[in-house]
């Protein structure tokens, strides 16, 4: 005899995670990068999905870290996989074509470090050459990884126009002097 499926205990979904101004800015930059390469899905949605999976209300899910990590990894995946034909895998070229003014080997290396950890977590430690043990990956380590992702991507996706906007904002704050 079939047993009746249990009913969900929550009848309303959780609301979206509110983003900081910096996170909104990153979402816009990521979407602009994806647009340049005609990629289908918006990375801002993947980023919001990662934050949703990582929110405290969802941490009873034993797989939340892998799910959040997978969403973040998927944002970077087109730039690491030769399977995505519209994008090359040369990060420096990709970022230069996007218009980044902060392309450096150090930033590209940091993106690679973050990607490799996210990849290991998303694959539950079963990725080739993985030295990450997801079962011992802590909340603090994940929060730091999320922060690292946000910082390196925000810096790396800074364009010349962004620099000019920042300078304009600083100049507007300068005290007015009377002649």
């Amino acid at each position: 005899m079939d047993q009746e499926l249990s009913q969900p205990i929550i009848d309303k979904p959780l609301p979206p995670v509110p983003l900081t101004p910096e996170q909104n800015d990153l979402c816009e930059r990521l979407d602009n990068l994806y647009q340049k390469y005609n990629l289908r899905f918006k990375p801002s949605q993947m980023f919001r999905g990662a934050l949703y999976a990582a929110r405290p209300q969802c941490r009873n899910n034993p797989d939340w870290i892998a799910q959040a990590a997978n969403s973040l990894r998927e944002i970077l995946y087109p730039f690491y996989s030769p399977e995505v034909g519209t994008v090359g895998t040369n990060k420096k070229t990709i970022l230069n074509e996007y218009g980044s003014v902060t392309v450096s080997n150090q930033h590209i290396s940091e993106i690679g470090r973050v990607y490799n950890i996210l990849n290991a977590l998303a694959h539950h430690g079963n990725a080739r050459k993985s030295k990450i043990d997801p079962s011992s990956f802590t909340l603090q380590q994940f929060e730091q990884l999320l922060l690292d992702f946000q910082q390196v991507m925000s810096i790396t996706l800074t364009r010349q126009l962004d620099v000019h906007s920042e300078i304009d904002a600083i100049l507007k704050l300068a005290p007015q002097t009377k002649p």
Side-chain angles (χ1 to χ4, degrees):
M1 181 182 274
D2 290 332
Q3 293 182 344
E4 189 176 321
L5 294 175
S6 63
Q7 295 298 313
I9 48 179
I10 299 175
D11 58 7
K12 290 192 313 187
L14 293 171
V17 176
L19 300 183
T20 66
E22 294 81 12
Q23 290 170 329
N24 275 317
D25 182 62
L26 176 59
C27 284
E28 188 175 319
R29 290 171 196 267
L30 289 167
D31 285 348
N32 288 336
L33 176 63
Y34 263 53
Q35 262 183 338
K36 175 156 183 46
Y37 292 99
N38 297 316
L39 297 170
R40 293 184 194 152
F41 202 75
K42 284 190 168 197
S44 58
Q45 296 301 319
M46 291 182 261
F47 183 73
R48 286 180 176 92
L51 295 178
Y52 188 93
R55 73 189 318 164
Q57 299 91 329
C58 295
R59 292 189 189 146
N60 283 334
N61 172 0
D63 204 33
W64 74 267
I65 287 180
Q67 292 172 1
N70 186 59
S71 291
L72 294 172
R73 180 194 73 93
E74 283 295 310
I75 293 170
L76 300 174
Y77 181 76
F79 309 99
Y80 281 87
S81 175
E83 293 179 31
V84 181
T86 61
V87 184
T89 55
N90 183 315
K91 277 40 132 218
K92 198 170 237 176
T93 300
I94 291 165
L95 293 168
N96 280 328
E97 287 176 355
Y98 168 75
S100 174
V101 294
T102 56
V103 179
S104 74
N105 290 336
Q106 180 183 356
H107 290 122
I108 291 170
S109 179
E110 179 63 5
I111 292 170
R113 181 191 71 80
V114 168
Y115 177 81
N116 289 334
I117 295 170
L118 292 169
N119 193 46
L121 291 171
H123 289 106
H124 301 88
N126 294 318
R128 274 187 292 154
K129 302 178 187 176
S130 175
K131 296 177 183 163
I132 302 293
D133 177 9
S135 65
S136 64
F137 206 78
T138 66
L139 170 62
Q140 292 77 20
Q141 287 174 303
F142 183 81
E143 287 174 342
Q144 184 59 54
L145 181 62
L146 177 60
L147 184 62
D148 291 348
F149 175 90
Q150 291 177 82
Q151 289 176 338
V152 72
M153 294 310 295
S154 290
I155 290 168
T156 306
L157 296 178
T158 298
R159 293 174 160 178
Q160 189 65 44
L161 193 56
D162 301 319
V163 174
H164 290 288
S165 295
E166 287 177 26
I167 291 170
D168 288 345
I170 291 169
L171 291 175
K172 286 179 183 175
L173 295 174
Q176 300 293 325
T177 57
K178 294 184 179 181

